[in-house]
Amino acid sequence: MNAPSYQPPGISQACVLVVGLGGLGCPTAMALSDAGVGELRIAEDDCIDESNLHRQILYRPEDVGRDKLSVGIEALRRLYPRSLSEHRPIASRFLPDNALELLRGVDLVVEGSDNFATKFLVADACRLARLPVVQGAAVRWQTTAYCIGPQGRPCYRCLFEDLPDASAAPNCAEAGVMGPVVGMGAALMVDFALSVLAGPAPFGNLARYDGWRDQLRITAIGARADCALCGAAPSIVELSESRYLEPVSCQGSNACAKDS
């Protein structure tokens, strides 16, 4: 359901921040470039690894070892030479001390990072900045996309509450992730993102795709009254670094999943 005060900015006028240029971020950035998003900011500081090439589709074998951001921007400009999108690289992680600054001038955030700490940080920062955000995850045969409105209720923490224990979250080497399923997750994220930019926005909707069973479900998430971020008496009112310590590599369970 749309927030009453939300006015879609329009695709060609919008500024979108993509957090992470991995398995989810690559096809997301491609689709948003092809759609002609006005300004596409991409935050990434990692390098290309050979084991990820099957799902990080902007990169080629000869790119292994190079930084994702420069290679990704080069590829986007090569693939979409007529795109009206302005691509702005941000060679940095999304961190507590730069999060609110990175959100300045942004109309929408699309997050497909590779660790729980970043996912919760993006969710918290967007709630505090009153920005809509689409967050995605993928692990094994399953992928999710969640669309959260600018008022941030229901929010990411209404669904997942807090960072999981590292011992309960297998990394990608242990759990694995299917490349085509990651692509499906990115498609769901882009569908939500373009709906937010053009309207009507599906705020509060969670899309889950099971590639093993080929099943897609869209669920409306309810807000929790006691949510620490958006509840009646929220305890998260600032971005404290201690809240996001010990980032967990990759995703586990049904929640945040690794994109890269």
Side-chain angles (χ1 to χ4, degrees):
M1 180 181 298
N2 278 353
S5 61
Y6 181 74
Q7 296 296 323
I11 294 173
S12 62
Q13 289 78 41
C15 175
V16 177
L17 171 64
V18 175
V19 179
L21 201 58
L24 291 173
C26 284
T28 294
M30 292 168 68
L32 293 177
S33 295
D34 196 31
V37 167
E39 182 179 349
L40 194 61
R41 302 179 186 179
I42 303 173
E44 176 61 78
D45 74 339
D46 201 2
C47 294
I48 299 164
D49 186 272
E50 185 176 13
S51 65
N52 298 326
L53 291 178
H54 73 290
R55 58 187 180 272
Q56 297 181 0
I57 59 177
L58 280 174
Y59 315 129
R60 298 172 294 191
E62 56 266 33
D63 298 323
V64 170
R66 296 181 61 192
D67 66 282
K68 291 180 179 179
L69 191 60
S70 62
V71 175
I73 295 294
E74 290 172 6
L76 290 172
R77 291 171 178 166
R78 181 180 68 250
L79 291 168
Y80 306 102
R82 298 182 181 179
S83 173
L84 300 178
S85 296
E86 177 185 350
H87 298 95
R88 177 180 168 187
I90 301 173
S92 172
R93 286 180 179 266
F94 195 93
L95 300 169
D97 61 358
N98 70 3
L100 296 181
E101 180 62 32
L102 291 181
L103 296 182
R104 289 187 185 277
V106 171
D107 296 299
L108 171 67
V109 178
V110 181
E111 179 272 320
S113 63
D114 65 355
N115 64 81
F116 286 110
T118 301
K119 290 180 180 297
F120 280 90
L121 173 59
V122 168
D124 295 352
C126 287
R127 159 68 180 179
L128 297 179
R130 296 298 190 266
L131 283 176
V133 55
V134 174
Q135 300 194 254
V139 67
R140 300 186 180 95
W141 287 91
Q142 302 199 9
T143 186
T144 62
Y146 188 22
C147 186
I148 304 166
Q151 301 306 314
R153 182 166 177 81
C155 72
Y156 193 77
R157 289 181 182 270
C158 287
L159 190 60
F160 300 125
E161 297 193 41
D162 210 344
L163 280 75
D165 189 313
S167 63
N171 60 37
C172 283
E174 297 167 336
V177 59
M178 298 301 294
V181 171
V182 177
M184 181 65 176
L188 294 172
M189 293 168 65
V190 171
D191 183 66
F192 277 163
L194 294 179
S195 295
V196 171
L197 298 179
F203 295 141
N205 280 3
L206 174 72
R208 294 176 181 265
Y209 176 70
D210 185 330
W212 185 259
R213 297 178 177 82
D214 192 24
Q215 294 178 344
L216 174 64
R217 294 183 178 180
I218 309 293
T219 306
I221 301 301
R224 291 192 299 111
D226 62 346
C227 178
L229 182 61
C230 73
S235 59
I236 300 174
V237 295
E238 61 181 3
L239 304 177
S240 171
E241 183 176 358
S242 61
R243 192 184 303 279
Y244 312 101
L245 294 177
E246 299 300 325
V248 180
S249 174
C250 193
Q251 339 29 140
S253 70
N254 293 324
C256 317
K258 179 167 183 169
D259 76 303
S260 59

